[in-house]
């Protein structure tokens, strides 16, 4: 099942809470690009785009779109004061040197050990990996935003990924329309349940083992 607009924005709004003042953050295509719209004005963040921008801003109004300015997904973006522009080689140099504090990506599957699959479904047309392999391996923290289940209603959070991997053991946090789940050395910990879902809904639609905490809350 695809996510509605409201669910996509709720996931992005929750993910924005993971961003701290002074961070350098890369946003993948899809839901992650919405996060820039939910950063509080008192938080200073540098959003990095691998097509060569450091300092992208919120989604521009249609009347403010600059046709020469886009993010790594090819969608129109704005830039914050002090933004800088450079070539893709420099952008990937930042990634490979480990300069990014956080990358926030979409995913097709995530395993209970934090393995990420997000670039191909054999036999089907998908956008491609872009910079995902470097981002997933070199960023200090990887957060995944995605539907909890695929179009067939099957869990995308699995004991082991069935699709080709982007990177092994890279994911720290998973945020879906149902839940916020942390990947820990002891397994997956259910941190929060998203309204209107229940803990039972999350467990039913998750194929990996979930550790339920006394502090598990509602969002």
């Amino acid at each position: 099942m695809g996510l509605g607009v409201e669910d996509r924005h709720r996931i992005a709004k929750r993910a924005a809470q993971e961003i701290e003042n002074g961070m350098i953050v890369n946003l993948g295509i899809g839901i992650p690009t919405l996060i820039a719209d939910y950063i509080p004005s008192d938080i200073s963040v540098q959003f990095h785009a691998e097509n060569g921008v450091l300092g992208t801003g919120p989604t521009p109004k249609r009347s403010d779109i600059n046709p020469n300015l886009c993010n790594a997904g090819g969608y129109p973006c704005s830039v914050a004061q002090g933004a800088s522009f450079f070539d893709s080689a420099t952008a990937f140099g930042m990634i490979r040197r480990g300069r990014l504090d956080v990358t926030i990506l979409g995913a097709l599957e995530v395993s209970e050990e934090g393995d990420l699959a997000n670039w191909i479904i054999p036999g089907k047309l998908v956008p491609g990996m872009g910079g995902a392999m470097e981002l997933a391996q070199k960023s200090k923290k990887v957060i995944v935003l995605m539907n909890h289940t695929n179009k067939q209603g099957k869990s995308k959070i699995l004991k082991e990924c069935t699709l080709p991997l982007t990177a092994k053991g890279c994911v720290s946090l998973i945020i879906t329309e149902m839940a916020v789940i942390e990947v820990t050395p002891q397994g997956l910990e259910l941190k929060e349940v998203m309204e209107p879902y229940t803990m039972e809904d999350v467990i039913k639609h998750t194929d990996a083992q979930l550790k339920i905490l006394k502090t598990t809350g509602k969002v």
Side-chain angles (χ1 to χ4, degrees), residues 1 124 149-155:
M1 294 285 292
K124 295 190 177 181
T149 58
N150 63 21
K151 292 180 180 178
Q152 290 74 43
K154 296 181 179 177
S155 176

Side-chain angles (χ1 to χ4, degrees), residues 2-84:
L3 291 175
V5 173
E6 185 176 344
D7 281 335
R8 292 166 61 85
H9 280 269
R10 288 181 65 226
I11 292 172
K13 186 176 181 179
R14 175 59 187 82
Q17 296 175 21
E18 299 296 321
I19 296 175
E20 300 175 4
N21 193 46
M23 281 184 165
I24 299 176
V25 181
N26 181 281
L27 302 178
I29 62 175
I31 300 173
T33 61
L34 302 174
I35 292 172
D37 298 345
Y38 292 101
I39 300 299
S41 58
D42 60 340
I43 296 291
S44 177
V45 179
Q46 294 269 27
F47 286 114
H48 168 277
E50 58 265 40
N51 58 324
V53 188
L54 185 63
T56 62
T59 306
K61 297 178 181 176
R62 184 177 294 272
S63 58
D64 295 334
I65 289 176
N66 180 339
N68 296 313
L69 186 60
C70 68
N71 59 28
Y75 294 99
C77 67
S78 64
V79 289
Q81 187 174 6
S84 55

